[in-house]
Amino acid sequence: MLNTIKEDLPIWIPLFSKFIEDITPYFTTIRSPNQQQVRWLLSCLDEMSDSQQIKAVNHLLTKVSNDIASNHSLLVDWLRNNYRNGENWYKLSDPARQRLREWIGGINYTDFQRLVNLILNKLDLQDFESNRLCRRRDFWADYSNRFERLRILLPKTSQIAIGYQIQGDVDLLEDDSSDCKEVCIFDFGEWFVVEFFRGRGSETRLFPKNPRNQQILFGESTLSVKRIRCLGGDKHDHEFLWQIFSRIWLANNGILPNPNAQPSRNPTAEQLQQRENRLERWKREIERLEREAKVYCNKICFLID
């Protein structure tokens, strides 16, 4: 409307040139905005000048609650696409940048949490499988602020049961005769973390974020458990006390938990010995699974380290 009538407005009416700067402050007063109001806000942001938009986004990020952001992925997606990468990122204030990290991570963790809950509720799992999934869901909750992106890979049986109830990037996990089931790939900025859910091995793998790994892990439409294992990477177990040692492993690679995460407890000597015994069996199993994966990848001519 302004663009249509501005040539006919007297120059002494400053409200018509300044009112756009009041849009974001007005939006932040809405306690529970609906989808229409969010879409209205985004269309207004798209029409602002660069300087007006930067000011508005800084205000938005520091004034809107995390609850509102978690309920409106459309808002978070717009901010991620326009401000997470590129020069606009550095135009945000430090508090605004931190809040945007939290919003993006929160949306992605919610997708991961929803996936685990659907598996628990929709699939016929044994008790030990359910317990393992609950522990992984709770572990990654301490890293919810760090998730940049998430890719979910489901076998056909799981996709039929739950795939259509998950929002986000969900693809089919190719059947390569592995008994490992659902896979999640997390983007933590400088690292990719691959989490295998169920089955033998059932490890976590860590890959540096380089163009090759990015293309394969987030660009390839066809991935399988054996294809991912063929990429190598550093790996960690899910054996006894794995949470304590996974946190140390991640921290050594610069992946830190949320500031409010509770510190790990100190294990006893007896517990450490128990873990060491289980770890030896896991290492032998992983070596066998990796040999199987290399044979498979050689057969299909898939790139191997």
Side-chain angles (χ1 to χ4, degrees), residues 8-142:
D8 300 319
L9 291 174
I11 59 173
W12 48 266
I13 304 183
L15 287 177
F16 283 98
S17 60
K18 296 290 186 180
F19 86 95
I20 199 166
E21 298 176 7
D22 295 323
I23 288 172
T24 300
Y26 169 72
F27 180 83
T28 59
T29 67
I30 304 172
R31 290 187 178 183
S32 300
N34 57 37
Q35 280 291 100
Q36 183 179 356
Q37 289 167 322
V38 170
R39 292 181 184 278
W40 165 78
L41 172 69
L42 297 182
S43 69
C44 292
L45 289 171
D46 284 332
E47 291 191 27
M48 292 181 185
S49 67
D50 290 347
S51 60
Q52 288 173 327
Q53 190 185 92
I54 293 288
K55 182 179 178 181
V57 169
N58 268 305
H59 185 87
L60 182 72
L61 284 166
T62 54
K63 299 299 182 183
V64 169
S65 72
N66 288 351
D67 288 341
I68 290 176
S70 65
N71 289 326
H72 292 285
S73 58
L74 186 68
L75 172 61
V76 180
D77 287 343
W78 186 93
L79 291 165
R80 173 174 26 207
N81 293 336
N82 288 278
Y83 281 87
R84 183 58 188 95
N85 297 301
E87 61 181 19
N88 279 347
W89 172 251
Y90 300 100
K91 294 177 183 177
L92 296 176
S93 66
D94 288 341
R97 283 201 293 265
Q98 179 57 35
R99 184 61 69 86
L100 183 52
R101 288 191 191 97
E102 293 175 9
W103 286 9
I104 292 170
I107 289 290
N108 287 326
Y109 175 74
T110 299
D111 286 341
F112 170 75
Q113 184 182 49
R114 187 180 295 116
L115 170 64
V116 174
N117 291 340
L118 284 168
I119 292 172
L120 292 169
N121 295 327
K122 298 290 185 180
L123 302 183
D124 185 18
L125 305 181
Q126 297 184 49
D127 288 343
F128 77 90
E129 289 182 304
S130 298
N131 291 335
R132 285 179 180 176
L133 287 176
C134 289
R135 286 194 289 268
R136 293 188 200 186
R137 178 194 61 199
D138 297 343
F139 175 80
W140 290 112
D142 283 344

Side-chain angles (χ1 to χ4, degrees), residues 149 189-190 192 207-220 231 303:
R149 281 185 297 171
E190 295 183 359
F192 295 127
F207 298 94
K209 188 174 183 179
N210 57 41
R212 169 182 174 267
N213 289 336
Q214 178 157 303
Q215 172 58 31
I216 293 172
L217 295 174
F218 275 92
E220 295 283 342
L231 296 176
L303 180 65

Side-chain angles (χ1 to χ4, degrees), residues 180-199:
C180 194
K181 304 299 181 183
E182 302 80 15
V183 175
C184 275
I185 306 174
F186 308 137
D187 181 348
F188 278 107
E190 295 183 359
W191 296 95
F192 295 127
V193 174
V194 179
E195 181 78 290
F196 297 100
F197 275 28
R198 300 180 287 145

